[in-house]
Amino acid sequence: RISQHFSLLRMAGKALLTMYVEKMERELKRVMDFWLRHSHDEEHGGFLVCLTRDGQVYDTTKYGWLQGRQVWMYCKLYNETEEYHTDRVLQAAIKGAKFLKDHFHRSEDDRCYFTVTREGLPIYLQRKMATEAFYIIAMAELSRATKQQHYMDEAEKVFASLLHWARVDDSPLGRPHLAGSPPINALAVPMIILNVIQEVCGRDGEMTAKYREHAAWAVEQVLAHAQVRIRTVVCTFSNY
């Protein structure tokens, strides 16, 4: 009876898993159809991301992290799925990356604007490194999609700056170190570093070895936020 019970549970589990996989595939198709149809800015480049449920544009402001994420997602799907391994998806990613590089990235200091106008004029620069992180992973995945090294070179160049801001000096982000302000350890920083390392390295063993020490540092920083005694992970704490 027990064995029969577990056999029924396994069958039910497989059926449930199949149902959820099919649901996710349907949702992915629905989402991709929406963005491929409505978000491409054929006039100025990049992507229009402030859309109503029926695809109407209600704001033409372009956000760097969303532009980067869309390029990365297109490339990830192009690289890892048969359905989206199409020239349409790849060309959209290439055009999106060009808009990112031309209008969001500042070559003089590797900062990336948080927002620009539809035409690409800068609006706002955050005192955070999130937009740069999405810029990096977009370029890295595009390098794998196109097999063009210059995209990976661009990703690693900006990543070197991001690592410097995270581990050495974050003042280029616009955060002055004032005499009375306590040093703060933010969980977001090492989590961003780990995510970027994973996306830049992919399955490349040499790249993984290259960034191993940075990954170890990031893991150590993340674990420092775990308060085991009270079973809590804190977002920030002072280094005092």
Side-chain angles (χ1 to χ4, degrees):
R1 291 180 180 178
I2 293 177
S3 62
Q4 184 180 14
H5 175 71
F6 279 112
S7 178
L8 290 172
L9 284 177
R10 282 195 298 270
M11 291 173 61
K14 288 179 180 179
L16 193 62
L17 179 61
T18 299
M19 181 188 74
Y20 280 119
V21 168
E22 291 173 350
K23 178 178 174 59
M24 286 188 290
E25 288 176 345
R26 289 195 302 272
E27 287 298 303
L28 175 61
K29 185 179 187 311
R30 183 180 66 84
V31 169
M32 281 294 289
D33 286 349
F34 178 89
W35 289 100
L36 286 167
R37 183 180 301 116
H38 298 298
S39 71
H40 299 180
D41 187 346
E42 302 296 347
E43 182 177 357
H44 298 288
F47 307 109
L48 295 162
V49 296
C50 298
L51 307 173
T52 63
R53 291 176 66 89
D54 61 357
Q56 298 300 308
V57 178
Y58 64 85
D59 186 351
T60 59
T61 301
K62 291 174 179 174
Y63 295 80
W65 67 278
L66 284 171
Q67 303 287 314
R69 185 166 68 175
Q70 192 158 344
V71 172
W72 170 82
M73 179 56 72
Y74 278 5
C75 293
K76 182 68 76 171
L77 290 171
Y78 178 86
N79 289 333
E80 299 191 7
T81 72
E82 182 177 349
E83 182 174 0
Y84 296 107
H85 189 82
T86 66
D87 189 62
R88 181 188 182 191
V89 170
L90 181 60
Q91 292 305 315
I94 291 172
K95 291 177 183 178
K98 185 179 187 308
F99 190 87
L100 264 177
K101 193 172 189 302
D102 290 348
H103 299 291
F104 281 94
H105 178 241
R106 301 196 314 195
S107 58
E108 66 270 20
D109 60 4
D110 283 332
R111 293 303 318 278
C112 291
Y113 294 110
F114 181 67
T115 51
V116 302
T117 65
R118 181 177 183 179
E119 298 78 13
L121 299 176
I123 296 174
Y124 180 60
L125 184 69
Q126 270 194 324
R127 293 185 294 175
K128 299 177 181 179
M129 59 180 71
T131 303
E132 289 82 0
F134 280 103
Y135 179 87
I136 294 164
I137 66 173
M139 294 298 168
E141 199 64 31
L142 183 58
S143 178
R144 284 187 279 271
T146 60
K147 297 179 173 56
Q148 294 186 23
Q149 181 61 34
H150 69 90
Y151 289 119
M152 186 61 75
D153 292 342
E154 177 71 7
E156 289 203 84
K157 174 181 173 291
V158 179
F159 193 24
S161 295
L162 190 146
L163 287 168
H164 179 81
W165 304 331
R167 301 192 61 178
V168 180
D169 178 20
D170 64 358
S171 60
L173 298 176
R175 297 176 177 176
H177 296 170
L178 304 178
S181 61
I184 298 297
N185 191 317
L187 177 60
V189 173
M191 290 181 67
I192 287 173
I193 297 299
L194 283 173
N195 177 256
V196 173
I197 289 174
Q198 180 179 9
E199 294 303 324
V200 167
C201 295
R203 301 181 181 91
D204 189 317
E206 289 186 11
M207 291 281 280
T208 300
K210 178 179 179 178
Y211 291 102
R212 182 170 290 122
E213 190 274 330
H214 292 297
W217 170 84
V219 169
E220 182 181 13
Q221 294 296 307
V222 168
L223 292 176
H225 289 77
Q227 305 295 308
V228 178
R229 184 178 60 83
I230 57 175
R231 298 182 180 180
T232 299
V233 177
V234 295
C235 290
T236 60
F237 66 85
S238 172
N239 287 330
Y240 278 158

